[in-house]
Amino acid sequence: MAIICLNCQHENPEDTLFCGKCGSALKSTKGSDITKTFITPKQKLQKGSILGGRYTIIEELGRGGMGVVYKAEDTKLKRLVALKFLPQGLTHVPEIKSRFIREAQAAAALDHPNICTVHEFDETEETAFISMAYIEGQSLKKKIESGPLDMEETLNIATQVAEGLQEAHKKGIVHRDIKSGNIMVTDRGQAKIMDFGLARTAEQTLLTKEGSTMGTIAYMSPEQAKGEPVDQRTDIWSFGVVLYEMLTGQIPFKGDHDQAMVYSIRKDKPEPVTDARPEVPKSIEQVIDKALEKNPDKRYQQIDDLLDDLKSISAGIVPEEIKARLRKARLRKRKKSFLYAGAATLVMAAVFIAFLLLTGPAEAIDSIAVLPLENLTGDTEMQYFVDGVTDELIGQLGQISGLKRVISRTSVMRYKNTDKSLPEIARELNVDALVEGTVYQVGENVSVKLQLFDALPDERSLWTERYDRPVTEVLMMYGEMAAAITENIEVKLTADETTRFADARRVNPEAYDAYLKGLFHWQRLNPEDLEAALQYFDSALENDPNYIPALTGMCLVGGGYSILGVMPPDEAAAKVTAAREKVLGLEDKPAEIHYLLATERTWGEMDWEKAEESYRKAIELNPNYPDVRAYYSHYLFIMHRPDEAMFQIERAMELDPFNPLFQSLYGADLMFMRRYDEAIIQFQKALKTVPNHGVAADMLAVAYFQKGMYKEAVEQKKGYYESIGLEEVAKALTLGYEKAGCREAWISAAETLENLSKETLILPSYISESYSYAGEKEKALDWLEKGWESGIDANNTYIGVMPHYVDLLGDEPRFQELLRKMNLPVGKLEQ
């Protein structure tokens, strides 16, 4: 029998809660009003009372619109159970009661670890009840009230719930009332779906409090809210709501009353999960979006498919279909951004065409970025290899002289899994062309697909190619890729570059694999990863003793140890002596080795002439090597050549604009030029990306001091000392400042450092710096001279350009003599 909506007179199926046309709450034309809240039994069962001759009541667990639940003991089987009593109003409706019995029987047949076991259905003279397993734990709803769940726990619970639904759907049972309140989580983290026996009745009552249908409406699918026939896809929708709730702590659809809630379910698009939780992977967001498709035909059709996606994501693999949806989403975003400019484009079209006719062909593309390649191997353990392909391609393109700008790895890696359009990325990186790619297979053969785009002003595909090569020929493959890319952006290779690509030799697969793993760890630049990198590079050399990349990697590890200050330079060098001697003996050294030599000769040997030769050679071999240019800028400042220095650091920033180290080095250059406000901005940028970044944190204190922000300088330096484990010095700064202000703070710090230097390695420059801030000329000079005599303090190279030394000591004969001993320019830096 149809139910007539009292609001709009629309006829609705009898099994309907809300009007399919206007969303108004409906009243049944049958004898009982099944959309009305049923009154829970007012008679409480007393503790110790016996029901059905076997159940001893222990306590009431809860009550609501759906009835009362008691904890009881089954005295026959000696087990704890939960007894759920139907509301009295339902017990006396024959159709509902018989349907309830049939579905309780079906639920009792379900045997699955993620479904609460239904033992039996029984009834007394007054009411009917279900006996089910008693579960120690709390409802998922209660758990979420403490805050959103983390990714690991969300995926764990979601997978278990999906497996429970999978079992039910196989048996032809649709729950129809999946919600966080109907999922229990045990103390051991096991999820249990509750209330299968009440599912059909729940569809008709859907009540949680007197006079309201709000509680479960929030989880209803659009077709369920409209009273249309439902199948397993309604459970999938409700499951999507629960998944959204676990990650955000909120339900996706909201409303102040019944109709508003139903309208939101049918019409509104929920706020993206990643808006509330940016760290949530886009792949999870795609699962939720597909589960919450309004049209059930566009939803997951089977829970099996959704479960497969969850398991893949848990294993670190993004399923192909989700990748396709992500790409489509990015494309829609790109198209949308193009549409905004559509009207202006039409207006300007004639002018643009005329401009082309007058000016001739457009300039050749000479700036490019290789975006992080996607890992489609199906193995997350191969990510190091995929990142290695990205690095190698960047390295090959960087050595092409015709390319003015090839963006470095650090800046492009921030675009991994981004949803930004290619034009947006190109504008941020200030390049004309972008390369996207995927790695499909790694093993005896490597399969890589690349696509080249002219990204500005609009995205335009220029070239696509797939490369399939034995792993022994990957070096040749990278050369082919680079050559093909340059050909398609009309950049000419020099004769030497063509020869180099053609002469790429075969590689030992084991050596290459170990090298990539070593590189992966070295780039993390912490003591543990450096040790791992050393072992992998050593393993690569066992397989191929003359493998130049691994030899270079060994030298980089030695440099890494020195940079981190975890061991003295001599000890760090000793770890890689054999590799270092071998690469230094090479006739054709790669750019990385010349860079390494340049930094050693600057901050270790202070051999200024040979250092510059190495900088220039490294840049000649790889003009797009930002590290060389960044440190060369510091060398040039030390040599009092500021114009050349600023050119080099600005070039480095073009090549790697988002690298916090380069931002810090740039800030130091600006500080040498006494452009303190600009320097502070750069240091703060770096610290925003990497809190407590060593160079930025240290130099920011200097900039504050030079600006006259003395209190801020003390606070900044205190934080720096805490970050490097010198808490005693930080405490001395605090106590000194509280005692007599800034000057006393610096003296206290210097004296504490002096005492510590008697027991452990403390760089003399730390002590001389503190004394210089306090205005103690003689003590500052004493420790500068000790730093020079010790030969272990690389910071001494900067004393001729550091403003606080120059301002305080520039006219002192001892200071000038020290500069001469170091073969450094005497006098102030010309601005």
Side-chain angles (χ1 to χ4, degrees):
M1 182 182 295
I3 301 177
I4 307 299
C5 174
L6 299 179
N7 183 49
C8 68
Q9 306 306 308
H10 179 69
E11 289 190 6
N12 297 276
E14 63 173 328
D15 190 11
T16 307
L17 293 172
F18 300 94
C19 177
K21 183 177 181 181
C22 71
S24 298
L26 300 175
K27 293 186 180 293
S28 172
T29 57
K30 294 189 176 182
S32 60
D33 178 2
I34 62 173
T35 65
K36 182 178 178 181
T37 301
F38 291 99
I39 306 302
T40 60
K42 301 190 183 304
Q43 183 74 35
K44 290 186 65 173
L45 295 176
Q46 299 301 311
K47 180 178 179 180
S49 60
I50 298 175
L51 194 70
R54 63 186 292 184
Y55 296 111
T56 302
I57 302 299
I58 297 174
E59 62 179 323
E60 181 181 315
L61 295 176
R63 60 173 56 215
M66 282 309 303
V68 185
V69 181
Y70 288 92
K71 179 181 178 181
E73 182 188 6
D74 183 340
T75 55
K76 285 187 178 180
L77 298 177
K78 301 299 181 185
R79 64 184 176 188
L80 292 177
V81 296
L83 301 180
K84 189 157 191 175
F85 292 84
L86 282 177
Q88 291 171 336
L90 282 178
T91 305
H92 303 294
V93 181
E95 182 183 349
I96 293 176
K97 182 178 176 181
S98 61
R99 183 183 298 163
F100 168 70
I101 294 171
R102 289 196 305 271
E103 297 213 14
Q105 293 168 340
L110 294 174
D111 182 14
H112 192 275
N114 299 121
I115 295 175
C116 179
T117 303
V118 173
H119 298 314
E120 68 171 348
F121 168 83
D122 204 348
E123 59 185 318
T124 67
E125 293 180 1
E126 295 297 325
T127 187
F129 66 91
I130 284 177
S131 169
M132 64 186 74
Y134 173 72
I135 298 171
E136 291 277 3
Q138 62 179 329
S139 72
L140 180 57
K141 182 177 182 62
K142 187 72 175 175
K143 192 175 184 66
I144 294 170
E145 286 175 3
S146 299
L149 310 188
D150 62 35
M151 276 303 306
E152 183 178 358
E153 188 172 22
T154 296
L155 286 171
N156 180 32
I157 292 174
T159 300
Q160 293 184 64
V161 174
E163 287 176 340
L165 285 174
Q166 183 184 47
E167 176 67 15
H169 291 178
K170 282 180 182 177
K171 299 288 178 64
I173 298 175
V174 180
H175 191 289
R176 299 182 181 89
D177 196 22
I178 291 294
K179 59 183 178 181
S180 57
N182 272 345
I183 297 166
M184 289 291 291
V185 181
T186 71
D187 298 335
R188 293 181 299 171
Q190 186 177 25
K192 297 269 192 181
I193 305 174
M194 310 293 292
D195 284 353
F196 266 94
L198 299 179
R200 183 65 180 178
T201 307
E203 182 199 20
Q204 293 177 320
T205 58
L206 298 168
L207 308 172
T208 58
K209 61 182 181 178
E210 186 171 336
S212 172
T213 56
M214 294 291 290
T216 305
I217 293 176
Y219 300 85
M220 291 168 61
S221 65
E223 63 271 24
Q224 192 175 7
K226 289 158 62 179
E228 296 175 354
V230 299
D231 54 25
Q232 74 280 354
R233 293 173 296 181
T234 199
D235 282 351
I236 291 172
W237 168 284
S238 302
F239 178 83
V241 175
V242 172
L243 188 51
Y244 185 103
E245 187 182 11
M246 282 194 283
L247 289 170
T248 66
Q250 303 176 40
I251 53 175
F253 306 100
K254 302 176 180 67
D256 295 332
H257 50 81
D258 296 2
Q259 286 180 253
M261 178 74 78
V262 172
Y263 181 87
S264 180
I265 290 169
R266 293 176 57 191
K267 302 293 183 182
D268 292 345
K269 185 175 178 61
E271 178 187 1
V273 171
T274 50
D275 282 5
R277 293 274 299 276
E279 72 274 18
V280 172
K282 288 286 186 182
S283 53
I284 288 290
E285 187 172 66
Q286 284 293 318
V287 169
I288 295 171
D289 287 349
K290 187 169 183 179
L292 295 180
E293 283 282 0
K294 308 288 188 190
N295 183 344
D297 292 336
K298 294 182 178 180
R299 216 174 291 160
Y300 284 102
Q301 297 302 291
Q302 303 292 335
I303 194 67
D304 308 57
D305 299 329
L306 194 157
L307 179 59
D308 286 344
D309 282 353
L310 287 178
K311 287 181 175 179
S312 296
I313 293 167
S314 296
I317 301 167
V318 180
E320 280 300 309
E321 187 178 344
I322 289 181
K323 281 180 179 281
R325 293 202 301 272
L326 285 170
R327 284 192 286 268
K328 286 179 181 178
R330 287 199 292 266
L331 183 59
R332 282 196 298 271
K333 184 172 181 181
R334 292 169 191 166
K335 288 180 176 178
K336 186 176 180 181
S337 67
F338 299 155
L339 287 174
Y340 286 135
T345 302
L346 290 172
V347 172
M348 294 299 294
V351 176
F352 179 66
I353 293 169
F355 175 79
L356 289 178
L357 292 173
L358 290 171
T359 60
E363 293 182 8
I365 293 171
D366 59 9
S367 57
I368 194 168
V370 180
L371 298 180
L373 271 61
E374 286 189 77
N375 179 6
L376 295 186
T377 64
D379 184 358
T380 55
E381 295 296 319
M382 296 308 298
Q383 189 59 49
Y384 75 91
F385 192 98
V386 176
D387 288 346
V389 178
T390 306
D391 290 340
E392 290 282 359
L393 190 51
I394 291 171
Q396 293 283 356
L397 291 170
Q399 297 176 61
I400 296 171
S401 57
L403 286 171
K404 292 181 180 178
R405 188 164 59 257
V406 179
I407 302 301
S408 188
R409 179 186 194 276
T410 311
S411 287
V412 299
M413 279 300 171
R414 73 200 302 262
Y415 295 103
K416 185 178 283 189
N417 299 322
T418 185
D419 60 354
K420 289 187 176 181
S421 68
L422 294 185
E424 284 179 289
I425 296 171
R427 290 186 189 96
E428 289 181 8
L429 294 174
N430 193 27
V431 295
D432 299 315
L434 293 168
V435 176
E436 284 188 325
T438 50
V439 179
Y440 289 92
Q441 181 182 349
V442 178
E444 293 184 0
N445 294 293
V446 177
S447 181
V448 181
K449 182 179 180 181
L450 296 180
Q451 190 166 9
L452 173 68
F453 294 91
D454 180 358
L456 294 175
D458 294 332
E459 175 184 328
R460 180 168 61 94
S461 179
L462 298 176
W463 165 81
T464 302
E465 187 64 69
R466 179 164 175 157
Y467 293 83
D468 297 283
R469 297 286 189 279
V471 72
T472 55
E473 297 180 6
V474 289
L475 297 184
M476 291 178 267
M477 179 178 73
Y478 299 140
E480 290 176 30
M481 291 174 174
I485 289 169
T486 55
E487 180 181 349
N488 281 279
I489 57 176
E490 300 181 16
V491 169
K492 301 292 184 183
L493 296 177
T494 66
D496 287 344
E497 289 162 356
T498 302
T499 301
R500 186 177 72 246
F501 287 145
D503 290 347
R505 69 186 183 97
R506 289 175 175 266
V507 65
N508 178 296
E510 290 78 14
Y512 180 66
D513 189 69
Y515 161 71
L516 288 183
K517 289 177 180 176
L519 189 65
F520 179 81
H521 284 281
W522 179 81
Q523 286 163 342
R524 297 184 179 189
L525 209 62
N526 62 61
E528 295 79 13
D529 279 295
L530 284 179
E531 191 63 32
L534 193 67
Q535 293 175 11
Y536 279 121
F537 290 142
D538 190 53
S539 175
L541 292 171
E542 286 179 6
N543 287 284
D544 185 350
N546 298 310
Y547 188 37
I548 293 175
L551 290 168
T552 303
M554 293 287 276
C555 296
L556 291 173
V557 168
Y561 280 127
S562 297
I563 290 169
L564 293 179
V566 294
M567 61 182 67
D570 291 344
E571 188 180 336
K575 278 186 168 284
V576 297
T577 297
R580 186 175 186 278
E581 290 176 355
K582 185 169 281 191
V583 294
L584 291 180
L586 293 172
E587 185 174 340
D588 296 321
K589 300 179 184 65
E592 290 81 2
I593 292 301
H594 287 287
Y595 163 56
L596 190 67
L597 284 171
T599 56
E600 283 184 4
R601 289 166 174 171
T602 302
W603 287 279
E605 303 166 9
M606 297 188 188
D607 186 337
W608 311 119
E609 186 176 342
K610 287 188 177 179
E612 184 154 27
E613 288 177 8
S614 297
Y615 283 121
R616 289 183 177 276
K617 186 62 178 178
I619 291 172
E620 177 189 332
L621 291 172
N622 189 346
N624 291 289
Y625 196 172
D627 308 60
V628 180
R629 293 183 181 274
Y631 282 103
Y632 188 27
S633 78
H634 275 221
Y635 166 91
L636 291 167
F637 265 113
I638 291 167
M639 294 293 103
H640 283 204
R641 291 154 59 184
D643 291 342
E644 296 173 73
M646 292 305 291
F647 171 81
Q648 293 297 337
I649 190 62
E650 287 167 1
R651 186 81 177 88
M653 293 299 292
E654 287 179 356
L655 294 168
D656 205 348
F658 301 113
N659 188 319
L661 174 60
F662 297 162
Q663 289 168 340
S664 302
L665 296 175
Y666 184 30
D669 286 342
L670 292 167
M671 191 171 64
F672 301 151
M673 296 286 287
R674 299 177 183 266
R675 292 157 59 178
Y676 301 124
D677 289 333
E678 296 172 73
I680 288 170
I681 290 171
Q682 291 300 320
F683 296 140
Q684 289 174 339
K685 277 185 184 178
L687 290 170
K688 185 176 181 180
T689 305
V690 181
N692 293 323
H693 187 281
V695 178
D698 192 22
M699 289 293 99
L700 183 55
V702 181
Y704 282 149
F705 181 85
Q706 289 301 121
K707 276 272 293 180
M709 301 167 66
Y710 300 123
K711 182 179 178 181
E712 289 84 352
V714 169
E715 285 297 315
Q716 180 63 32
K717 201 69 173 183
K718 186 173 73 173
Y720 172 70
Y721 280 132
E722 288 172 344
S723 73
I724 61 173
L726 292 175
E727 289 86 358
E728 292 176 65
V729 186
K731 186 176 180 180
L733 279 168
T734 299
L735 293 174
Y737 184 81
E738 290 174 351
K739 179 180 177 182
C742 290
R743 184 175 184 278
E744 184 62 31
W746 297 119
I747 291 175
S748 296
E751 290 174 349
T752 303
L753 287 163
E754 279 192 70
N755 291 331
L756 289 171
S757 71
K758 297 170 184 176
E759 304 171 359
T760 188
L761 176 63
I762 296 291
L763 294 179
S765 58
Y766 284 6
I767 305 171
S768 65
E769 179 186 58
S770 289
Y771 276 130
S772 74
Y773 290 154
E776 294 284 337
K777 291 185 180 182
E778 295 304 315
K779 290 184 177 181
L781 282 166
D782 289 344
W783 282 98
L784 284 177
E785 289 171 345
K786 287 178 183 178
W788 162 248
E789 291 161 5
S790 70
I792 64 168
D793 198 336
N795 291 330
N796 265 27
T797 56
Y798 289 104
I799 63 175
V801 289
M802 276 293 186
H804 59 94
Y805 285 133
V806 175
D807 291 350
L808 180 69
L809 307 172
D811 296 331
E812 296 293 319
R814 282 175 65 192
F815 184 70
Q816 294 172 3
E817 180 59 26
L818 180 58
L819 292 173
R820 291 189 187 96
K821 286 180 182 179
M822 298 171 67
N823 292 319
L824 290 173
V826 178
K828 291 188 176 183
L829 179 71
E830 291 184 10
Q831 305 301 311

